Amino acid sequence: YISIAFPDGAVTVLPCCINDDNIVAGGFTDADGILHGFYGPPDGSNYTLFDLDDGTTPEARAILNDGSITGLSLGGFVFGEGFYRSPTGKVKILQDPNGNVQDGVVQGGNDKGTYVGDYLDTDGSTRLGFEGKKGKYKKAFTLPGLEGVTSTNPRQINNNNVVAGGYIDSSGIQHGFVLKGKKLTSFDAPGSVNVTTAEGINDAGQVSGLYTDGSSNRHAFLYDVSTGDFTAIDPGNGSTAQEAWGINNQGLIVGDTDS
């Protein structure tokens, strides 16, 4: 385990992603509780900090190998205002098929520039999955063969077009999933109670994510799609809230804990 350096002025930091050049990105809060985005080498030697021009507060959720960033900003939204930041720093606020600003989570993408995420439907409760590219909505993302799903939350698409994420069923339980073509693998981590979700997947089919136990404590895991094996990710610092976020093609995972 390697600690990720705090950006200058940070009180808390949430690193959400790592690309194949080992560049991390995420969000941090300053002493005034204001959220900002950041990216750079994990030792903090060359961080770039950024905000959005509309005054909302950004949190990077993925950094692609071309340097583009996807994420969400939190001001005035239920989940967050989705955005795409180009490698040159130009930001586009994401819109749904009806031209509304997406209120949801935008996360990981592949080398073709395709990324995935979700947004709140007009009914105010259902979250719909989607695929996008360069700040534009491309198509809906759905899970085949499932009924009664109230929230579809894709979180990463790899270079083999395999998608990992989570969904909530009709009873309110959250499960992880991996979708390869039309083949859907739904999974729950051992010991999970109510929540299992994937946050990242690399080209080897290694999935990073989290689950909650009976005391609602969060635990991070690594899941191998080919073998079905789970590996606990625990830095051993006594924390009761852990989350594994993005994973790159070297198998490096970024995560956070509460201590």
Side-chain angles (χ1 to χ4, degrees), residues 235-256:
N237 60 359
S239 61
T240 58
Q242 305 154 8
E243 182 158 5
W245 292 87
I247 181 171
N248 69 11
N249 283 322
Q250 285 75 51
L252 296 178
I253 299 169
V254 292
D256 69 285

Side-chain angles (χ1 to χ4, degrees), residues 7-256:
D8 289 342
V11 176
T12 64
V13 63
L14 181 65
C16 290
C17 46
I18 183 168
N19 68 14
D20 291 340
D21 294 319
N22 297 338
I23 300 299
V24 300
F28 72 93
T29 55
D30 61 24
D32 295 321
I34 306 300
L35 182 66
H36 310 273
F38 79 95
Y39 63 94
D43 62 4
S45 59
N46 192 28
Y47 278 157
T48 295
L49 314 183
F50 68 93
D51 294 300
L52 300 187
D53 291 339
D54 65 0
T56 57
T57 55
E59 177 181 281
R61 282 296 186 94
I63 182 164
L64 280 61
N65 287 333
D66 66 0
S68 59
I69 292 172
T70 58
L72 65 155
S73 57
L74 304 182
F77 297 88
V78 176
F79 297 103
E81 176 188 52
F83 71 85
Y84 167 84
R85 186 180 188 272
S86 75
T88 61
K90 184 178 180 180
V91 173
K92 291 183 178 180
I93 303 302
L94 304 188
Q95 296 180 341
D96 66 22
N98 298 317
N100 301 312
V101 173
Q102 287 183 355
D103 187 349
V105 176
V106 192
Q107 207 150 305
N110 58 26
D111 288 343
K112 296 178 182 178
T114 300
Y115 50 80
V116 292
D118 60 62
Y119 63 94
L120 193 64
D121 195 8
T122 53
D123 66 6
S125 59
T126 307
R127 290 168 73 180
L128 304 175
F130 76 96
E131 293 184 14
K133 188 172 184 177
K134 294 184 178 180
K136 295 182 179 181
Y137 180 99
K138 289 300 182 182
K139 63 180 180 179
F141 176 89
T142 57
L143 297 173
L146 294 179
E147 296 182 359
V149 173
T150 61
S151 186
T152 303
N153 316 118
R155 289 292 176 259
Q156 171 76 36
I157 181 170
N158 68 17
N159 288 319
N160 302 313
N161 292 320
V162 181
V163 180
Y167 70 92
I168 299 176
D169 65 21
S170 57
S171 61
I173 305 300
Q174 187 169 14
H175 311 272
F177 77 82
V178 175
L179 182 64
K180 181 179 181 180
K182 295 183 179 180
K183 181 183 178 182
L184 175 66
T185 300
S186 177
F187 64 88
D188 297 292
S192 65
V193 178
N194 296 328
V195 174
T196 297
T197 189
E199 295 289 357
I201 184 170
N202 63 15
D203 292 348
Q206 296 175 307
V207 176
S208 52
L210 78 104
Y211 71 92
T212 60
D213 62 23
S215 299
S216 297
N217 295 325
R218 299 201 312 266
H219 303 272
F221 66 79
L222 176 67
Y223 170 60
D224 189 310
V225 178
S226 62
T227 65
D229 293 334
F230 285 86
T231 302
I233 300 175
D234 186 346
N237 60 359
S239 61
T240 58
Q242 305 154 8
E243 182 158 5
W245 292 87
I247 181 171
N248 69 11
N249 283 322
Q250 285 75 51
L252 296 178
I253 299 169
V254 292
D256 69 285

